[in-house]
């Protein structure tokens, strides 16, 4: 009985590492104060079909989940949320006229497309935004490029060219 309990506990822990540990945007910024890490922001809308496909097919992929948890503070941000968000000395709120959250506008630099993934560094500075649906095999090289810090020393095109040769 003890062995069975132990085995199921280990199995549950292994399953936990295969799920993305999503945090709020404010939690990610707070976590960066003590343990700086990249921030991965999935900007989505509830009605967005490709966003739901990313949840079902991409973020549920065990390797993607593991990479997100290892390299990033992963954030899901609903672009139409009405909850205020405090960031960098400013309170971002829902813009009733445009029916979108001000933080989503800021992160996506006004280019509202869902889903969009924003990559931020450990200082909470936006590095880039990648719009559109991404399959697991499409997003993994991007996660590695930013997560392992390659963006600091090599361009994306050079990184992909080097890694295409290695395959």
């Amino acid at each position: 009985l003890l062995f069975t309990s132990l085995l199921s506990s280990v199995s549950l822990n292994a399953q936990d590492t295969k799920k993305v540990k999503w945090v709020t945007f404010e939690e990610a910024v707070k976590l960066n104060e003590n343990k700086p890490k990249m921030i991965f922001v999935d900007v989505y809308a509830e009605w967005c079909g490709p966003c739901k496909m990313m949840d079902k097919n991409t973020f549920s992929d065990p390797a993607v989940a593991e990479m997100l948890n290892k390299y990033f503070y992963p954030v899901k941000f609903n672009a139409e949320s009405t909850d205020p968000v405090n960031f960098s000395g400013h309170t971002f709120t829902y813009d009733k006229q445009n029916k979108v959250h001000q933080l989503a506008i800021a992160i996506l630099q006004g280019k509202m497309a869902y889903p969009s993934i924003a990559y931020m560094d450990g200082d909470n500075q936006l590095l880039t935004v990648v719009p559109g649906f991404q399959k697991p095999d499409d997003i993994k090289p991007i996660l590695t490029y930013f997560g392992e810090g390659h963006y600091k020393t090599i361009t994306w095109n050079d990184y992909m060219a080097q890694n295409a040769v290695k395959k």
Side-chain angles (χ1 to χ4, degrees):
L1 185 62
L2 180 61
F3 179 73
T4 305
S5 271
L6 185 60
L7 190 58
S8 67
S9 173
V10 169
S11 175
L12 287 174
N13 288 339
Q15 288 175 350
D16 284 349
T17 62
K18 294 179 182 178
K19 290 185 179 180
V20 179
K21 295 179 176 98
W22 299 105
V23 297
T24 67
F25 187 82
E26 289 173 302
E27 287 170 335
V29 171
K30 182 79 173 157
L31 287 165
N32 257 349
E33 290 175 11
N34 295 322
K35 186 179 177 193
K37 234 173 157 177
M38 303 281 301
I39 298 177
F40 172 99
V41 186
D42 171 29
V43 183
Y44 72 97
E46 292 286 338
W47 49 262
C48 168
C51 300
K52 292 175 185 178
M53 286 174 39
M54 288 269 298
D55 286 338
K56 183 178 178 184
N57 301 319
T58 306
F59 300 137
S60 65
D61 181 277
V64 170
E66 185 176 346
M67 293 173 82
L68 282 170
N69 293 333
K70 178 179 179 181
Y71 297 126
F72 302 90
Y73 292 123
V75 173
K76 286 192 77 54
F77 188 77
N78 181 351
E80 297 175 344
S81 169
T82 57
D83 297 334
V85 175
N86 295 306
F87 174 58
S88 196
H90 182 76
T91 300
F92 294 86
T93 58
Y94 180 72
D95 180 338
K96 290 179 185 173
Q97 182 178 349
N98 294 309
K99 299 181 180 174
V100 67
H101 202 284
Q102 293 171 339
L103 184 61
I105 295 170
I107 290 172
L108 300 182
Q109 301 170 324
K111 297 175 185 145
M112 309 313 293
Y114 312 118
S116 285
I117 306 298
Y119 293 88
M120 300 173 74
D121 67 15
D123 293 323
N124 308 321
Q125 298 299 306
L126 182 67
L127 298 173
T128 195
V129 175
V130 180
F133 174 80
Q134 297 168 48
K135 295 177 185 171
D137 287 343
D138 297 332
I139 201 169
K140 288 175 192 173
I142 304 170
L143 296 177
T144 302
Y145 178 72
F146 285 107
E148 292 182 357
H150 299 287
Y151 72 95
K152 295 176 185 176
T153 60
I154 187 171
T155 67
W156 170 250
N157 289 338
D158 288 345
Y159 173 79
M160 287 304 289
Q162 284 182 5
N163 286 288
V165 172
K166 290 179 186 176
K167 289 180 183 176

